[in-house]
């Protein structure tokens, strides 16, 4: 277990290299470059946070809290407020454990998001994770729009060692969901995860399609706990925030999967999403293989950002 934890942390640390270089390099020069905490210090800190894609809301909240604490504790030396800053960022991002209720219940996870953000990959990784927990998982291939989407998901089903329903190009997505629900019930599955097509360019279509899917789930599988996860590509920075907002308007979004954090300097967007939209980031993708999906943990995320090893504290 300790071995496993170390392996995970290593992957997270290396996955977040670019984000860390971006944010932490700025912090380091801030903490060594100033001898007193003054307006210039705060201004530079604000700039680093905003440049790190942490977002206006979160940046303001973090700065307000930090200023309060600096005053209350009468801190003068910038170096002394580094840990305070780390703790303040963590506070902004903590996800409640009740947010993973779908793990403990019979549930359906609907995975939505625009083209190419990593939906199918995340469905596969998530299936592998839940399967490893001893759960019976079924995948619903409700992306019937993109050619070979079903084939791609079938490969993931094989990798994860789970069953898959659907996958015929051109079929009606809602009818795939219907069949998948029937299979989940008949085979007493714990979790049904449905992949969907990525098209947001026509909001009306998307709304209609989601409505159809929700109606089937409500009618055919009311006992299942419903989780709707929006997948966002971390490399798109502020754009991801815009997409999250758009999906929240058409679906009851309960969480976010933030992918491709290994390839970006914009990992700070995880903080922004949480504080601007109040939708928890539940998983992060830090690579392309099946083990590269991690439950979002504010502590490890922020520690990885600051490159603090688990055995150091
Ligand atoms: N580096 C990296 N690549 C990722 C991650 N997640 C997904 N990808 C890659 O992103 C590409 C698109 O992933 P898909 O899962 O096909 O994305 P999708 O949202 O299902 O795409 P459409 O079905 O076409 O809308 C693939 O090459 C994946 O390997 C991640 O966390 N890190
Ligand atoms: Mg896909």
């Amino acid at each position: 277990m300790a071995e496993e934890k170390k392996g995970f942390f290593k992957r997270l640390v290396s996955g977040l290299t670019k984000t860390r270089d971006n944010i932490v390099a700025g912090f380091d020069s801030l903490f060594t470059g100033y001898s007193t905490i003054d307006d210039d210090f705060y201004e530079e800190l604000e700039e680093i946070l905003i440049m790190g894609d942490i977002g206006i809301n979160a940046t303001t909240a973090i700065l307000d809290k930090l200023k309060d604490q600096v005053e209350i504790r009468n801190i003068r030396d910038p170096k002394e407020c580094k840990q305070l800053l780390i703790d303040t960022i963590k506070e902004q991002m903590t996800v409640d454990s009740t947010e993973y209720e779908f793990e403990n219940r019979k549930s359906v996870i609907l995975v939505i998001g625009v083209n190419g953000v990593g939906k199918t990959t995340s469905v596969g990784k998530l299936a592998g994770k839940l399967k490893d927990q001893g759960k019976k998982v079924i995948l619903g291939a409700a992306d019937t729009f993109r050619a070979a989407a079903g084939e791609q998901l079938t490969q993931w089903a094989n990798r994860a060692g789970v069953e898959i329903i659907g996958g015929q190009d051109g079929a009606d997505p809602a009818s795939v969901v219907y069949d998948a629900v029937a299979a989940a019930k008949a085979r007493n599955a714990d979790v049904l995860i449905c992949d969907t097509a990525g098209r947001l360019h026509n909001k009306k279509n998307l709304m209609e399609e989601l409505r159809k899917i929700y109606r089937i789930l409500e009618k055919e599988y009311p006992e299942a706990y419903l989780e709707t996860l929006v997948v966002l590509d971390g490399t798109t920075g502020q754009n991801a925030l815009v997409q999250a907002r758009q999906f929240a308007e058409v679906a009851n979004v309960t969480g976010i999967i933030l992918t491709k954090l290994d390839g970006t300097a914009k990992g700070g967007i995880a903080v922004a999403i949480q504080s601007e939209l109040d939708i928890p980031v539940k998983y992060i993708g830090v690579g392309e293989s099946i083990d590269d999906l991690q439950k979002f943990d504010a502590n490890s995320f922020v520690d990885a950002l600051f490159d603090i090893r688990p055995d150091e504290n």
Side-chain angles (χ1 to χ4, degrees):
M1 191 62 208
E3 274 298 305
E4 195 180 300
K5 190 137 197 186
K6 234 180 200 156
F8 153 65
F9 196 80
K10 238 187 206 154
R11 270 203 302 281
L12 185 61
V13 167
S14 75
L16 290 173
T17 302
K18 286 191 182 164
T19 299
R20 184 172 48 251
D21 289 351
N22 195 28
I23 299 182
V24 175
F27 282 155
D28 281 348
S29 75
L30 178 72
F31 290 116
T32 54
Y34 282 82
S35 52
T36 51
I37 300 172
D38 54 14
D39 286 350
D40 287 345
F41 171 83
Y42 283 127
E43 226 164 81
E44 189 167 332
L45 175 56
E46 181 172 19
E47 199 180 305
I48 296 168
L49 292 173
I50 297 210
M51 296 303 281
D53 271 306
I54 277 168
I56 301 283
N57 273 359
T59 298
T60 308
I62 289 168
L63 274 171
D64 285 351
K65 271 196 192 149
L66 191 71
K67 283 179 185 170
D68 277 354
Q69 287 299 318
V70 163
E71 208 174 305
I72 291 168
R73 301 186 196 186
N74 202 15
I75 297 173
R76 300 262 163 77
D77 185 353
K79 282 186 208 70
E80 276 178 56
C81 76
K82 183 171 177 184
Q83 187 57 45
L84 203 55
L85 176 68
I86 293 173
D87 294 343
T88 312
I89 297 176
K90 281 180 185 172
E91 262 171 52
Q92 281 290 310
M93 311 182 72
T94 304
V95 181
D96 213 316
S97 60
T98 56
E99 298 291 359
Y100 299 94
E101 184 61 16
F102 56 87
E103 288 185 341
N104 309 318
R105 306 258 297 266
K106 214 163 256 307
S107 58
V108 176
I109 305 175
L110 193 62
V111 177
I112 59 180
V114 306
N115 285 314
V117 286
K119 292 178 296 298
T120 305
T121 307
S122 299
V123 166
K125 291 171 178 174
L126 193 54
K129 254 183 130 51
L130 294 169
K131 167 86 197 276
D132 282 349
Q133 291 173 15
K135 297 196 162 49
K136 184 167 175 67
V137 180
I138 292 184
L139 301 185
D143 178 1
T144 57
F145 184 76
R146 188 165 64 73
E151 235 165 78
Q152 186 195 359
L153 193 65
T154 302
Q155 282 175 10
W156 275 107
N158 293 339
R159 243 171 250 149
V162 304
E163 294 171 59
I164 177 169
I165 302 295
Q168 303 85 345
D169 294 349
D172 174 22
S175 78
V176 172
V177 172
Y178 184 93
D179 292 345
V181 165
K185 288 199 287 194
R187 299 175 203 174
N188 197 26
D190 297 302
V191 188
L192 167 64
I193 313 177
C194 295
D195 188 22
T196 63
R199 297 159 271 164
L200 189 61
H201 46 256
N202 186 336
K203 196 165 159 188
K204 197 163 154 270
N205 273 355
L206 177 82
M207 274 171 80
E208 237 146 61
E209 191 155 307
L210 287 177
R211 201 177 301 133
K212 270 206 300 204
I213 291 175
Y214 280 127
R215 207 181 300 134
I216 284 167
L217 293 174
E218 271 160 33
K219 207 166 145 227
E220 303 298 325
Y221 208 14
E223 65 272 36
Y225 183 89
L226 183 57
E227 180 78 23
T228 303
L229 299 178
V230 173
V231 180
L232 302 171
D233 178 341
T235 63
T236 62
Q238 295 299 313
N239 235 332
L241 198 62
V242 174
Q243 285 169 21
R245 211 170 259 133
Q246 287 175 331
F247 276 101
E249 282 167 15
V250 297
N252 177 25
V253 178
T254 51
I256 306 255
I257 299 178
L258 190 61
T259 62
K260 309 187 194 180
L261 286 185
D262 49 308
T264 181
K266 298 173 187 292
I269 197 70
V271 188
I273 290 166
Q274 202 125 317
S275 69
E276 309 275 322
L277 302 179
D278 209 21
I279 301 171
V281 175
K282 296 193 180 177
Y283 294 95
I284 54 173
V286 291
E288 292 186 274
S289 72
I290 194 158
D291 294 323
D292 291 327
L293 185 79
Q294 310 296 345
K295 230 179 224 184
F296 182 76
D297 172 51
N299 274 322
S300 345
F301 186 84
V302 178
D303 284 347
L305 269 186
F306 285 87
D307 202 10
I308 300 167
R309 312 279 159 172
D311 33 331
E312 275 176 32
N313 57 3

